[in-house]
Amino acid sequence: MTAPSLSARDLALLREAIALSARSRAQGRHPFGALVADAAGHVVARAINDSLPPHGDPTRHAELVAVAQAARLLAPDALAACTLYSSAEPCCMCAGAVYWGGIGRVVYALSERRLLALTGDHPENPTFSLPCRTVFAHGQREVAVIGPALEDEAALAHDGFWTRDAP
């Protein structure tokens, strides 16, 4: 599914985030990837999931890492013009990072609902049924959200991953 408000640049950057999720999986991590692009479409931060459950730091989601990198590089006014592109809908923790980091827009591929259908009750991904739009709606500033888009493409990195004996 492609949202009608996505530009060719949005689609290309979203596909890059999806490619990062495949790279994350290839490195033995959970299949999530994200990047932050400035108003001109230049990528300022890229990240793969680095949380390494069940023994690593569970706060190192790709979205949070990318937002933190961008926040170290850009001034608040530049961050407000940035977009986070994510292979999956930001969880409530990552939505908080987007909000507090000052990112003005989010474009995501895989919805939280579709992710839950893929992960089931896997203990390493206890999916929160809390859409990022709901998190942002409770803030004092607007964060534009587009998604889900390209869900079938994004789901490929998860294919077979969440079985109990997956790598």
Side-chain angles (χ1 to χ4, degrees):
M1 169 174 136
T2 302
S5 55
L6 289 177
S7 68
R9 177 172 47 187
D10 285 329
L11 290 169
L13 291 167
L14 188 56
R15 284 189 169 105
E16 185 175 342
I18 292 167
L20 287 169
S21 72
R23 187 173 111 201
S24 184
R25 180 179 178 159
Q27 292 182 16
R29 293 163 166 37
H30 290 176
F32 299 100
L35 60 88
V36 175
D38 67 15
H42 300 112
V43 176
V44 297
R46 288 178 181 84
I48 62 172
N49 186 323
D50 194 27
S51 64
L52 300 171
H55 305 293
D57 180 347
T59 67
R60 303 272 304 159
H61 289 189
E63 299 87 349
L64 194 150
V65 173
V67 168
Q69 287 174 6
R72 286 191 294 273
L73 296 171
L74 300 176
D77 60 331
L79 287 166
C82 284
T83 298
L84 171 78
Y85 293 89
S86 179
S87 64
E89 182 172 359
C91 71
C92 55
M93 175 181 71
C94 293
V98 167
Y99 182 82
W100 291 110
I103 303 292
R105 183 171 175 253
V106 171
V107 176
Y108 69 87
L110 197 61
S111 69
E112 193 75 13
R113 178 176 292 147
R114 179 88 180 263
L115 179 62
L116 177 59
L118 294 167
T119 63
D121 65 349
H122 196 286
E124 291 180 15
N125 195 48
T127 302
F128 232 115
S129 182
L130 183 58
C132 67
R133 283 177 175 89
T134 302
V135 175
F136 297 139
H138 291 277
Q140 293 181 330
R141 65 174 185 79
E142 185 177 338
V143 177
V145 179
I146 299 173
L150 307 177
E151 280 196 287
D152 292 340
E153 289 180 38
L156 292 175
H158 296 267
D159 189 34
F161 183 86
W162 300 104
T163 60
R164 299 290 181 190
D165 57 345

